[in-house]
Each structure stands twice: as C-alpha cells, then as structure tokens.
C-alpha cells in the first residue's frame, strides 16, 4: 500500500472534516462497535468489565470519554499527515501507554482500525466510497505498521516513515 498519495490525503481530510463535526457521538459509536464485535477487548478497560449489554454501553459516560480520546488522536494524525515526525510524536506516547501501562496487545489496534472502517461504512453507506475506504485502509496500515514496530522495539526504523 505504501505511501499515501495526495488524493488519499484529500479523501481522508475531506471525509474526516465531516466525521469530526460530531466527534463525541462518532467516537462513542466506534467504541461500542469495538466492544460488540470484539468483546475480548473490554478486558483492557476496568470500568467496562462488568458491562454486558449494548444499552449499558450506550449509557456509560466512560464510553463517550474514551471515544472522544480516540477521535482526538485521529484528528491530530489527520492534521499532521504531511509530517511523519509529528505523527510519530503522537503515536509514540500512545503506544507506550497502551503497551506498558494498559498491557494492550498491538493486534487490538488492528481491530480498532477495522471497526472504524466498518462504522463509517454502516453509517455513511454510499458516501463512504471505495476510494475513500481504500485511503483509510492505507493510513491505518501505516499507523499499524508503526505501532507493530514500536511494540517489537524497532520504532527507530519508523521515524523516517512514509506519510
């Protein structure tokens, strides 16, 4: 998939501008979908371990808070797409915290990225075109490749990365 083209970056920026207008609700939808599609991911969240239904997730204020965090991190990445060093600066502390503090396996990021694409597809239907979807797949692959390298202690090789 390689380097993002200018068309990819424009697809992502244009689409993201619409999605980020309602960051709280969209972030909440992503977290709920992640937990429903991949209930094993809930074990990393002490506040969600005993939540057993979609209705409970909908009512849980912490779901909204974490969804907002996800959206804010993605927003920083989208805003920094032309500067891989800035993206590394965003991803590194996030990866450190998830790896060392929360003990979240790197494959959970892949689940999150796939969930985000599925939420976009379901919510936006035909306006989430194949071209836009492919642009998001490319950026998520780049992000996951960095995270995977970081988790295996080779993040230094990613600092001059491909965006």
């Amino acid at each position: 998939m390689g380097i993002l083209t200018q068309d990819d970056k424009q697809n992502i920026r244009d689409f993201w501008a619409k999605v980020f207008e309602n960051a709280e609700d969209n972030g909440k939808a992503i977290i709920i979908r992640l937990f429903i599609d991949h209930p094993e991911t809930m074990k990393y969240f002490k506040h969600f371990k005993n939540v057993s239904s979609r209705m409970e997730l909908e009512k849980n204020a912490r779901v909204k808070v974490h969804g907002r965090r996800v959206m804010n991190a993605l927003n920083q990445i989208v805003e920094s797409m032309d500067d891989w060093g800035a993206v590394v600066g965003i991803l590194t502390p996030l990866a450190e915290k998830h790896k060392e503090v929360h003990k979240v396996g790197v494959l959970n990021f892949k689940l999150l990225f796939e969930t985000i694409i599925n939420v976009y597809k379901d919510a936006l239907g035909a306006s989430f075109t194949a071209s836009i979807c492919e642009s998001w797949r490319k950026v998520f692959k780049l992000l996951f490749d960095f995270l995977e390298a970081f988790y295996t202690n080779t993040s230094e090789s990613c600092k001059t990365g491909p965006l």
Side-chain angles (χ1 to χ4, degrees), residues 42-71:
M42 290 180 73
K43 71 182 178 186
Y44 299 107
F45 298 86
K46 64 182 176 185
H47 300 292
F48 305 140
K49 284 184 181 177
N50 297 320
V51 176
S52 60
S53 72
R54 182 182 191 107
M55 186 180 300
E56 287 178 274
L57 288 169
E58 291 280 352
K59 292 179 183 178
N60 191 308
R62 291 181 187 269
V63 170
K64 184 185 268 189
V65 168
H66 196 70
R68 182 69 178 175
R69 283 187 192 134
V70 168
M71 296 298 283

Side-chain angles (χ1 to χ4, degrees), residues 1-161:
M1 288 189 175
I3 297 172
L4 294 176
T5 66
Q6 288 305 316
D7 286 344
D8 288 327
K9 291 177 184 180
Q10 197 59 52
N11 281 342
I12 290 164
R13 285 185 179 111
D14 291 348
F15 185 77
W16 185 251
K18 296 173 194 166
V19 171
F20 198 66
E21 285 177 3
N22 195 358
E24 277 193 10
D25 287 343
N26 289 325
K28 181 178 169 183
I30 289 165
I31 298 302
I32 290 171
R33 178 77 176 262
L34 176 68
F35 289 162
I36 292 197
D37 289 358
H38 305 283
E40 70 278 12
T41 60
M42 290 180 73
K43 71 182 178 186
Y44 299 107
F45 298 86
K46 64 182 176 185
H47 300 292
F48 305 140
K49 284 184 181 177
N50 297 320
V51 176
S52 60
S53 72
R54 182 182 191 107
M55 186 180 300
E56 287 178 274
L57 288 169
E58 291 280 352
K59 292 179 183 178
N60 191 308
R62 291 181 187 269
V63 170
K64 184 185 268 189
V65 168
H66 196 70
R68 182 69 178 175
R69 283 187 192 134
V70 168
M71 296 298 283
N72 285 338
L74 284 173
N75 189 57
Q76 290 178 317
I77 290 165
V78 169
E79 288 177 346
S80 302
M81 275 192 303
D82 291 320
D83 181 357
W84 181 247
V87 173
V88 167
I90 295 160
L91 289 176
T92 298
L94 183 140
E96 286 173 344
K97 188 171 187 177
H98 282 78
K99 179 182 178 188
E100 303 299 333
V101 176
H102 301 304
K103 309 295 185 201
V104 174
V106 71
L107 292 178
N108 289 284
F109 287 100
K110 189 174 271 192
L111 297 176
L112 175 63
F113 296 153
E114 201 54 44
T115 298
I116 292 169
I117 287 173
N118 290 335
V119 167
Y120 292 168
K121 281 181 185 177
D122 291 350
L124 302 162
S127 66
F128 191 66
T129 65
S131 175
I132 292 170
C133 182
E134 184 59 24
S135 295
W136 279 99
R137 286 195 186 284
K138 285 181 182 181
V139 79
F140 286 149
K141 181 180 182 333
L142 293 170
L143 299 179
F144 182 77
D145 287 350
F146 172 84
L147 292 165
E148 187 174 47
F150 182 90
Y151 268 64
T152 57
N153 295 318
T154 59
S155 62
E156 289 298 316
S157 65
C158 296
K159 288 188 177 174
T160 59

